Structures are given as structure tokens and as C-alpha cells.
Amino acid sequence: MQVTFSVQIDSFKKISKIPNAWSDEDYRALLSIMDFEDDVEKMDAAELREMCMMSLNDLGPADAAKAVMTHLFPELAEGKIDQVSHDMVDDRSWEEYADCLLHERFFNAYGLLREAFNGIFANPTGVELALTVTAGHAEDMAIFDESLHSSIVRLLANGQGDDALINRLYEDQIKGTHFPEAPGLVWQLKQVADEGTTRQFCLVSSYFWMENFEQVESFEAEAHADVEE
């Protein structure tokens, strides 16, 4: 069932990295991939990060990208990693890679590589978005309990024009009852307040999908939950 909601954009902030995207364990794993021989277990967080950045820089852009890809994408074949890593300097994979479910990891990869090489790689542009959603009845909010990601993505897509890229690429999923790609379009999502007919959400996504909200204060749009098969 389609429900119409009023949406208030509380904040819109561009970001080039996601806080805490890289942990000490990630840095240790990367150093291992790069055959770093010192005892990384004895390094503190700052040393780990600095050594990882230096080691990536020593490899050069393509090989550094391959090391990062090898760590972040264990499901990809080595040949695919070789191909993508050689193209990353010129591509914007966090927007362009065919499987959107991998976009957040690409975003994190570009953030790390760009810092390691003081540029060279494209600057990834993401968005932290906070919004307040209001419905006519508290029971209308049930769609967010049933399938949060899908419902929020449909709401944000329907808040943009029909010519918006998200609507052109995912029209069937937005209008349909199953949206497995939704977590690839809104990467991080949490509900921060629930006051019956009003809820507040914070999310992280790509500017690629959300740029239309940069100058928007509020809108009305419909959304619905997925339907379990």
C-alpha cells in the first residue's frame, strides 16, 4: 500500500570519507597483503595507519589499488581485481561499478587511496543526510519496520523527478515489491527518533544519488514496503 509522507531535510552534508570506515584490523590486513614484515601487532593505531599509507604509496597507484581491492572484495576473482584496480585512477567506481551493492566499499577504497597518494585518485563525494518523516497516522510508519532500506530509498526516489537517475535506473524496484539493491543506494541508515506519526532518520549515501536534495528543504512523496515472497 502506497502511503504519502511529508519529509523535512534537517541537514545535508557532503563527505569524502565515512568515519571509522577503516579499523586497525583493516590496516593490519592490508599490510599483510603488501608483505610488510615488521611486527604490526606491536604498533599503535597511529603507527599502523601511517605505515599503511607509506606502504601503499611505495607500491604505486595501480598496485596499491589492487592491494586495497584484494582486502575489500574477497568475492571478486583475481582477474577482475586486476582489471578494476588498473582502471580506478580514471574511473569513479563508487558511482559507476555495475553492482551498486559494492559502491560503499569502493567509496572507502577511494578515500584511503586518495589520501595515500595526495590526490591522483578521484575524490569520492558522499552525503550525510538527516531527515524527519511525518505521516498522517502512526500505523503508516509500519513500512519502515517491515523493510527500512527499501522504504527509505523509495521515499527519496519519489521525492525526485521522474528524470532523476535513480528513477530511470531502478524504476521497476521503486514501483515494485522487492528492492534488493536498496542497501547499495543508501549505504548506512539508522532511525534516531520515533514519535508516533513522526520519525527521524540519518543516512549515508553517494552524492551521485542524492544531489537533488542539496537545495531542498522539504517535499512530499509516496513509499511502500517490500512484500515478502
Side-chain angles (χ1 to χ4, degrees), residues 97-171:
Y97 193 76
D99 185 353
C100 70
L101 293 173
L102 306 186
H103 283 186
E104 180 182 3
R105 279 182 277 171
F106 271 114
F107 184 88
N108 292 333
Y110 273 86
L112 186 73
L113 289 165
R114 182 174 173 82
E115 189 170 350
F117 288 91
N118 194 27
I120 297 180
F121 290 86
N123 188 23
T125 308
V127 168
E128 287 181 349
L129 190 63
L131 54 139
T132 299
V133 180
T134 302
H137 307 281
E139 55 266 29
D140 293 338
M141 292 293 188
I143 68 168
F144 301 116
D145 300 323
E146 295 167 15
S147 52
L148 179 57
H149 263 89
S150 297
S151 299
I152 286 290
V153 172
R154 289 189 179 103
L155 183 67
L156 293 170
N158 288 328
Q160 304 180 50
D162 291 340
D163 60 343
L165 187 62
I166 191 171
N167 285 311
R168 288 188 277 125
L169 291 180
Y170 297 100
E171 180 181 7

Coordinates of all heavy atoms in Angstrom, one line a residue, residues 97-171:
Y97 N 30.5 1.4 -10.9 CA 30.6 0.0 -11.0 C 29.2 -0.7 -11.1 O 28.3 -0.2 -10.4 CB 31.3 -0.6 -9.7 CG 31.7 -2.0 -9.8 CD1 32.8 -2.4 -10.6 CD2 31.0 -3.0 -9.2 CE1 33.2 -3.7 -10.8 CE2 31.4 -4.4 -9.3 CZ 32.5 -4.7 -10.1 OH 32.9 -6.0 -10.3
A98 N 29.1 -1.7 -11.9 CA 27.8 -2.3 -12.2 C 27.0 -2.7 -11.0 O 25.8 -2.5 -11.0 CB 28.0 -3.4 -13.2
D99 N 27.6 -3.3 -10.0 CA 26.9 -3.8 -8.9 C 26.9 -2.7 -7.8 O 27.9 -2.5 -7.1 CB 27.6 -5.1 -8.4 CG 26.9 -5.7 -7.2 OD1 25.9 -5.1 -6.7 OD2 27.3 -6.8 -6.8
C100 N 25.8 -2.1 -7.6 CA 25.8 -1.0 -6.6 C 26.0 -1.4 -5.2 O 26.3 -0.6 -4.3 CB 24.4 -0.2 -6.7 SG 23.0 -1.1 -6.2
L101 N 25.8 -2.7 -4.9 CA 26.0 -3.2 -3.5 C 27.5 -3.1 -3.1 O 27.8 -3.3 -1.9 CB 25.5 -4.6 -3.4 CG 23.9 -4.8 -3.6 CD1 23.6 -6.3 -3.6 CD2 23.2 -4.1 -2.4
L102 N 28.3 -2.9 -4.1 CA 29.8 -2.8 -3.8 C 30.2 -1.3 -3.7 O 31.4 -1.0 -3.4 CB 30.6 -3.5 -4.9 CG 30.3 -4.9 -5.1 CD1 31.3 -5.5 -6.1 CD2 30.3 -5.8 -3.8
H103 N 29.3 -0.4 -3.9 CA 29.7 1.0 -4.0 C 30.2 1.6 -2.7 O 31.2 2.4 -2.8 CB 28.5 1.9 -4.5 CG 28.2 1.7 -6.0 ND1 27.2 2.5 -6.6 CD2 28.7 0.9 -6.9 CE1 27.2 2.2 -7.9 NE2 28.1 1.2 -8.1
E104 N 29.7 1.2 -1.6 CA 30.2 1.8 -0.3 C 31.7 1.4 -0.1 O 32.5 2.2 0.3 CB 29.4 1.3 0.8 CG 29.9 1.9 2.2 CD 29.0 1.4 3.4 OE1 28.1 0.6 3.2 OE2 29.3 1.8 4.5
R105 N 32.0 0.1 -0.4 CA 33.4 -0.3 -0.3 C 34.3 0.4 -1.2 O 35.4 0.7 -0.9 CB 33.4 -1.9 -0.4 CG 33.0 -2.6 0.8 CD 33.2 -4.1 0.6 NE 32.0 -4.7 0.0 CZ 32.0 -6.0 -0.5 NH1 33.0 -6.8 -0.3 NH2 30.9 -6.4 -1.0
F106 N 33.8 0.6 -2.5 CA 34.6 1.4 -3.4 C 34.8 2.8 -2.9 O 35.9 3.4 -3.0 CB 33.9 1.5 -4.8 CG 34.3 0.4 -5.7 CD1 33.4 -0.6 -6.1 CD2 35.6 0.2 -6.2 CE1 33.7 -1.6 -6.9 CE2 36.0 -0.8 -7.0 CZ 35.0 -1.7 -7.4
F107 N 33.8 3.4 -2.3 CA 33.9 4.8 -1.7 C 35.0 4.8 -0.7 O 35.9 5.7 -0.6 CB 32.6 5.2 -1.1 CG 32.5 6.6 -0.5 CD1 32.2 7.6 -1.3 CD2 32.8 6.8 0.8 CE1 32.1 8.9 -0.8 CE2 32.8 8.1 1.3 CZ 32.4 9.1 0.5
N108 N 35.0 3.8 0.2 CA 36.1 3.7 1.2 C 37.4 3.5 0.6 O 38.4 4.0 1.1 CB 35.7 2.6 2.2 CG 34.5 2.9 3.0 OD1 34.1 4.0 3.3 ND2 33.8 1.8 3.5
A109 N 37.5 2.7 -0.4 CA 38.8 2.5 -1.1 C 39.4 3.8 -1.7 O 40.5 4.1 -1.5 CB 38.6 1.4 -2.2
Y110 N 38.5 4.5 -2.4 CA 39.0 5.8 -3.0 C 39.4 6.8 -1.9 O 40.4 7.5 -2.1 CB 37.9 6.4 -3.8 CG 37.9 5.9 -5.2 CD1 37.2 4.7 -5.6 CD2 38.5 6.5 -6.3 CE1 37.2 4.2 -6.9 CE2 38.5 6.1 -7.6 CZ 37.8 4.9 -7.9 OH 37.8 4.4 -9.2
G111 N 38.7 6.8 -0.8 CA 39.1 7.7 0.3 C 40.5 7.4 0.8 O 41.3 8.3 1.0
L112 N 40.8 6.1 1.0 CA 42.1 5.7 1.5 C 43.2 6.0 0.5 O 44.2 6.5 0.8 CB 42.0 4.3 1.9 CG 43.3 3.7 2.6 CD1 43.4 4.3 4.0 CD2 43.3 2.2 2.6
L113 N 42.9 5.6 -0.8 CA 43.9 5.7 -1.8 C 44.2 7.2 -2.2 O 45.4 7.5 -2.4 CB 43.5 5.0 -3.1 CG 43.5 3.4 -3.0 CD1 42.7 2.8 -4.1 CD2 44.9 2.9 -3.0
R114 N 43.2 8.0 -2.2 CA 43.4 9.4 -2.5 C 44.3 10.0 -1.4 O 45.2 10.8 -1.7 CB 42.1 10.1 -2.6 CG 42.2 11.6 -2.9 CD 40.9 12.3 -3.1 NE 41.0 13.7 -3.3 CZ 41.3 14.3 -4.5 NH1 41.6 13.6 -5.5 NH2 41.4 15.6 -4.5
E115 N 44.1 9.6 -0.2 CA 44.9 10.2 0.9 C 46.3 9.7 0.8 O 47.3 10.4 1.0 CB 44.3 9.8 2.3 CG 45.0 10.5 3.4 CD 44.2 10.3 4.7 OE1 43.1 9.8 4.7 OE2 44.8 10.7 5.8
A116 N 46.5 8.4 0.5 CA 47.8 7.8 0.4 C 48.7 8.4 -0.7 O 49.9 8.5 -0.6 CB 47.7 6.3 0.2
F117 N 48.0 8.9 -1.8 CA 48.7 9.4 -2.9 C 48.5 11.0 -3.1 O 48.9 11.5 -4.1 CB 48.3 8.7 -4.2 CG 48.8 7.3 -4.3 CD1 48.1 6.3 -3.8 CD2 50.0 7.1 -4.9 CE1 48.6 5.0 -3.9 CE2 50.5 5.8 -4.9 CZ 49.8 4.7 -4.4
N118 N 47.9 11.6 -2.0 CA 47.8 13.0 -2.0 C 47.1 13.5 -3.3 O 47.5 14.4 -4.0 CB 49.1 13.7 -1.9 CG 49.0 15.2 -1.5 OD1 47.9 15.6 -1.0 ND2 49.9 16.0 -1.9
G119 N 46.0 12.8 -3.7 CA 45.3 13.1 -4.9 C 45.4 11.9 -5.8 O 45.3 10.8 -5.4
I120 N 45.6 12.2 -7.1 CA 45.7 11.2 -8.2 C 44.4 10.5 -8.4 O 43.8 10.5 -9.5 CB 46.8 10.1 -8.0 CG1 48.2 10.8 -8.0 CG2 46.8 9.0 -9.1 CD1 49.4 9.8 -7.7
F121 N 43.9 9.8 -7.4 CA 42.6 9.1 -7.5 C 41.5 10.2 -7.3 O 41.6 11.2 -6.6 CB 42.4 8.1 -6.4 CG 43.3 6.9 -6.6 CD1 44.6 6.8 -6.1 CD2 42.8 5.8 -7.2 CE1 45.4 5.7 -6.3 CE2 43.6 4.6 -7.4 CZ 44.9 4.6 -7.0
A122 N 40.3 9.9 -8.0 CA 39.2 10.9 -7.9 C 38.7 11.0 -6.4 O 38.9 10.1 -5.6 CB 38.0 10.3 -8.7
N123 N 38.3 12.2 -6.1 CA 37.8 12.5 -4.7 C 36.4 12.0 -4.6 O 35.4 12.5 -5.2 CB 37.8 14.0 -4.5 CG 37.5 14.3 -3.0 OD1 37.7 13.5 -2.1 ND2 37.1 15.5 -2.8
P124 N 36.1 10.9 -3.8 CA 34.8 10.4 -3.7 C 33.9 11.4 -2.9 O 34.3 12.0 -2.0 CB 35.0 9.1 -2.8 CG 36.2 9.4 -2.0 CD 37.1 10.2 -2.9
T125 N 32.7 11.6 -3.4 CA 31.7 12.5 -2.8 C 30.5 11.8 -2.3 O 29.8 11.2 -3.1 CB 31.3 13.6 -3.8 OG1 32.5 14.2 -4.4 CG2 30.5 14.7 -3.1
G126 N 30.3 11.8 -1.0 CA 29.2 11.2 -0.4 C 28.3 12.2 0.3 O 28.6 13.4 0.2
V127 N 27.3 11.8 0.9 CA 26.4 12.6 1.6 C 26.0 12.0 2.9 O 25.7 10.8 3.0 CB 25.1 12.9 0.8 CG1 24.0 13.6 1.6 CG2 25.4 13.7 -0.5
E128 N 26.0 12.9 4.0 CA 25.3 12.5 5.2 C 24.0 13.3 5.2 O 24.0 14.6 5.1 CB 26.2 12.9 6.4 CG 27.4 12.0 6.7 CD 28.2 12.4 7.9 OE1 27.9 13.5 8.4 OE2 29.0 11.6 8.3
L129 N 22.9 12.6 5.4 CA 21.6 13.2 5.2 C 20.8 12.9 6.5 O 20.7 11.7 6.9 CB 20.9 12.7 4.0 CG 19.6 13.4 3.5 CD1 19.9 14.8 3.1 CD2 19.0 12.6 2.3
A130 N 20.2 13.9 7.1 CA 19.3 13.7 8.2 C 17.9 14.2 7.8 O 17.8 15.3 7.2 CB 19.8 14.5 9.4
L131 N 16.9 13.4 8.1 CA 15.5 13.8 7.6 C 14.5 13.4 8.7 O 14.7 12.5 9.4 CB 15.2 13.2 6.3 CG 15.3 11.7 6.1 CD1 14.2 11.2 5.3 CD2 16.6 11.4 5.4
T132 N 13.4 14.2 8.7 CA 12.3 13.9 9.5 C 11.1 13.6 8.6 O 10.8 14.3 7.7 CB 11.9 15.2 10.4 OG1 13.0 15.5 11.2 CG2 10.7 14.9 11.3
V133 N 10.5 12.4 8.9 CA 9.4 11.9 8.1 C 8.1 11.9 8.9 O 8.1 11.4 10.0 CB 9.7 10.5 7.6 CG1 8.6 9.9 6.8 CG2 11.1 10.4 6.8
T134 N 7.1 12.5 8.3 CA 5.8 12.6 9.0 C 4.7 12.0 8.2 O 4.6 12.2 7.0 CB 5.5 14.1 9.3 OG1 6.5 14.7 10.1 CG2 4.2 14.2 10.1
A135 N 3.8 11.2 8.9 CA 2.7 10.6 8.2 C 1.4 11.0 8.9 O 1.4 11.6 10.0 CB 2.8 9.1 8.3
G136 N 0.3 10.7 8.2 CA -1.0 11.1 8.8 C -1.4 10.2 10.0 O -2.1 10.7 10.9
H137 N -0.9 9.0 10.0 CA -1.3 8.0 11.0 C -0.1 7.3 11.5 O 0.8 6.9 10.6 CB -2.4 7.1 10.5 CG -3.6 7.8 10.0 ND1 -4.6 8.3 10.7 CD2 -3.9 8.0 8.7 CE1 -5.5 8.9 10.0 NE2 -5.1 8.7 8.7
A138 N 0.0 6.9 12.7 CA 1.2 6.2 13.2 C 1.3 4.8 12.5 O 2.5 4.4 12.3 CB 1.0 6.0 14.8
E139 N 0.2 4.2 12.2 CA 0.3 2.9 11.5 C 0.9 3.0 10.1 O 1.5 2.0 9.6 CB -1.0 2.2 11.5 CG -2.1 3.0 10.8 CD -3.0 3.8 11.8 OE1 -2.4 4.2 12.9 OE2 -4.2 4.0 11.5
D140 N 0.9 4.2 9.5 CA 1.6 4.3 8.2 C 3.1 4.1 8.3 O 3.7 3.8 7.3 CB 1.3 5.7 7.7 CG -0.2 6.0 7.3 OD1 -0.9 5.0 7.1 OD2 -0.6 7.1 7.3
M141 N 3.6 4.3 9.5 CA 5.1 4.2 9.7 C 5.5 2.7 9.7 O 6.7 2.4 9.7 CB 5.5 4.8 11.0 CG 5.4 6.3 11.0 SD 6.5 7.1 9.9 CE 6.3 8.8 10.3
A142 N 4.6 1.8 9.7 CA 4.9 0.4 9.7 C 5.8 -0.1 8.6 O 6.6 -1.0 8.7 CB 3.7 -0.5 9.7
I143 N 5.8 0.6 7.4 CA 6.6 0.2 6.3 C 8.1 0.3 6.7 O 8.9 -0.5 6.1 CB 6.3 1.1 5.0 CG1 6.7 2.5 5.2 CG2 4.8 1.0 4.7 CD1 6.7 3.3 3.9
F144 N 8.5 1.2 7.6 CA 9.9 1.4 7.9 C 10.3 0.3 8.9 O 11.5 0.0 9.0 CB 10.1 2.7 8.5 CG 9.8 3.9 7.6 CD1 8.7 4.8 8.0 CD2 10.4 4.1 6.4 CE1 8.4 5.8 7.1 CE2 10.1 5.1 5.6 CZ 9.1 6.0 5.9
D145 N 9.4 -0.3 9.6 CA 9.7 -1.5 10.4 C 9.8 -2.8 9.6 O 10.5 -3.7 9.9 CB 8.6 -1.7 11.5 CG 8.5 -0.5 12.4 OD1 9.5 0.1 12.7 OD2 7.3 -0.1 12.8
E146 N 9.0 -2.8 8.5 CA 9.0 -4.0 7.6 C 10.2 -4.1 6.7 O 10.8 -5.2 6.5 CB 7.7 -4.0 6.8 CG 6.4 -4.1 7.7 CD 5.2 -3.8 6.9 OE1 5.2 -3.8 5.6 OE2 4.1 -3.6 7.5
S147 N 10.6 -3.0 6.1 CA 11.7 -3.0 5.2 C 12.3 -1.6 5.1 O 11.9 -0.8 4.2 CB 11.4 -3.6 3.8 OG 10.3 -2.9 3.2
L148 N 13.2 -1.3 6.1 CA 13.6 0.1 6.3 C 14.3 0.6 5.0 O 14.0 1.7 4.5 CB 14.5 0.2 7.5 CG 15.1 1.5 7.8 CD1 14.0 2.6 8.0 CD2 16.0 1.5 9.1
H149 N 15.4 -0.1 4.6 CA 16.2 0.4 3.4 C 15.3 0.6 2.2 O 15.3 1.7 1.6 CB 17.3 -0.6 3.1 CG 18.6 -0.2 3.7 ND1 19.0 -0.6 5.0 CD2 19.6 0.6 3.2 CE1 20.2 -0.1 5.2 NE2 20.6 0.7 4.2
S150 N 14.5 -0.4 1.8 CA 13.7 -0.3 0.6 C 12.7 0.9 0.7 O 12.5 1.6 -0.2 CB 13.0 -1.6 0.4 OG 13.9 -2.6 0.2
S151 N 12.1 1.0 1.9 CA 11.1 2.1 2.0 C 11.7 3.5 2.0 O 11.1 4.4 1.3 CB 10.3 1.9 3.4 OG 9.7 0.7 3.4
I152 N 12.9 3.6 2.6 CA 13.5 5.0 2.6 C 14.0 5.3 1.2 O 13.9 6.4 0.7 CB 14.7 5.0 3.6 CG1 14.2 5.1 5.0 CG2 15.6 6.1 3.3 CD1 13.5 6.4 5.4
V153 N 14.6 4.3 0.5 CA 15.1 4.6 -0.9 C 13.9 4.9 -1.8 O 14.0 5.9 -2.6 CB 15.8 3.4 -1.4 CG1 16.2 3.6 -2.9 CG2 17.1 3.2 -0.7
R154 N 12.8 4.2 -1.7 CA 11.6 4.6 -2.5 C 11.1 6.0 -2.1 O 10.8 6.8 -3.0 CB 10.5 3.6 -2.2 CG 10.7 2.2 -2.8 CD 9.5 1.3 -2.7 NE 9.7 0.0 -3.3 CZ 9.9 -1.1 -2.6 NH1 9.9 -1.1 -1.3 NH2 10.2 -2.2 -3.3
L155 N 11.1 6.4 -0.9 CA 10.7 7.7 -0.5 C 11.6 8.8 -1.1 O 11.1 9.8 -1.6 CB 10.7 7.8 1.1 CG 10.2 9.1 1.7 CD1 8.7 9.3 1.5 CD2 10.5 9.1 3.2
L156 N 12.9 8.5 -1.0 CA 13.8 9.5 -1.5 C 13.8 9.6 -3.1 O 14.0 10.6 -3.7 CB 15.2 9.2 -1.1 CG 15.5 9.4 0.4 CD1 16.8 8.8 0.9 CD2 15.4 10.8 0.8
A157 N 13.6 8.4 -3.7 CA 13.5 8.4 -5.2 C 12.2 9.1 -5.6 O 12.3 9.9 -6.5 CB 13.5 7.0 -5.7
N158 N 11.1 8.9 -4.9 CA 9.8 9.5 -5.3 C 9.8 11.0 -5.0 O 9.0 11.8 -5.5 CB 8.7 8.8 -4.6 CG 8.4 7.4 -5.2 OD1 8.6 7.2 -6.4 ND2 7.9 6.5 -4.4
G159 N 10.8 11.4 -4.1 CA 10.9 12.9 -3.8 C 11.7 13.6 -4.9 O 11.8 14.8 -4.8
Q160 N 12.2 12.9 -5.9 CA 12.9 13.5 -7.0 C 12.1 13.3 -8.3 O 11.1 12.6 -8.3 CB 14.3 12.8 -7.2 CG 15.1 12.8 -6.0 CD 16.5 12.1 -6.2 OE1 17.2 12.4 -7.1 NE2 16.8 11.2 -5.3
G161 N 12.4 14.0 -9.3 CA 11.7 14.0 -10.5 C 11.8 12.7 -11.2 O 12.7 11.9 -11.0
D162 N 10.9 12.4 -12.1 CA 10.9 11.1 -12.9 C 12.2 11.0 -13.7 O 12.6 9.9 -14.0 CB 9.7 11.0 -13.8 CG 8.4 10.9 -13.1 OD1 8.5 10.4 -11.9 OD2 7.3 11.2 -13.6
D163 N 12.8 12.1 -14.0 CA 14.0 12.1 -14.9 C 15.3 11.9 -14.0 O 16.4 11.8 -14.6 CB 14.2 13.3 -15.7 CG 14.2 14.6 -14.9 OD1 13.9 14.6 -13.7 OD2 14.7 15.7 -15.4
A164 N 15.1 11.8 -12.7 CA 16.3 11.6 -11.8 C 16.9 10.2 -12.2 O 16.2 9.3 -12.4 CB 15.9 11.7 -10.4
L165 N 18.2 10.1 -12.1 CA 18.9 8.9 -12.5 C 18.4 7.7 -11.7 O 18.2 6.6 -12.3 CB 20.4 9.1 -12.3 CG 21.3 7.9 -12.8 CD1 21.1 7.7 -14.3 CD2 22.7 8.2 -12.5
I166 N 18.2 7.9 -10.4 CA 17.7 6.7 -9.6 C 16.4 6.2 -10.1 O 16.2 5.0 -10.0 CB 17.7 7.2 -8.1 CG1 17.5 5.9 -7.2 CG2 16.6 8.2 -7.9 CD1 17.6 6.3 -5.7
N167 N 15.5 7.1 -10.5 CA 14.2 6.6 -11.0 C 14.3 6.0 -12.4 O 13.6 5.0 -12.7 CB 13.2 7.8 -11.1 CG 12.8 8.2 -9.7 OD1 12.3 7.3 -8.9 ND2 12.8 9.5 -9.4
R168 N 15.3 6.4 -13.2 CA 15.4 5.8 -14.5 C 16.1 4.4 -14.4 O 15.7 3.5 -15.2 CB 16.2 6.7 -15.4 CG 15.4 8.0 -15.8 CD 16.1 8.8 -16.9 NE 17.1 9.7 -16.3 CZ 18.4 9.7 -16.6 NH1 18.9 8.9 -17.5 NH2 19.2 10.6 -16.0
L169 N 17.0 4.3 -13.5 CA 17.7 3.0 -13.4 C 17.0 2.0 -12.6 O 17.1 0.8 -12.8 CB 19.1 3.2 -12.8 CG 20.1 4.0 -13.6 CD1 21.4 4.2 -12.9 CD2 20.3 3.3 -15.0
Y170 N 16.2 2.4 -11.6 CA 15.6 1.4 -10.7 C 14.0 1.6 -10.7 O 13.4 1.3 -9.7 CB 16.1 1.6 -9.3 CG 17.6 1.3 -9.2 CD1 18.6 2.3 -9.3 CD2 18.1 0.0 -9.2 CE1 19.9 2.0 -9.2 CE2 19.4 -0.3 -9.2 CZ 20.3 0.7 -9.2 OH 21.7 0.4 -9.2
E171 N 13.5 1.9 -11.8 CA 12.0 2.2 -11.8 C 11.2 0.9 -11.4 O 10.3 1.0 -10.6 CB 11.6 2.6 -13.3 CG 10.1 2.8 -13.4 CD 9.7 3.2 -14.8 OE1 10.6 3.1 -15.7 OE2 8.5 3.5 -15.1

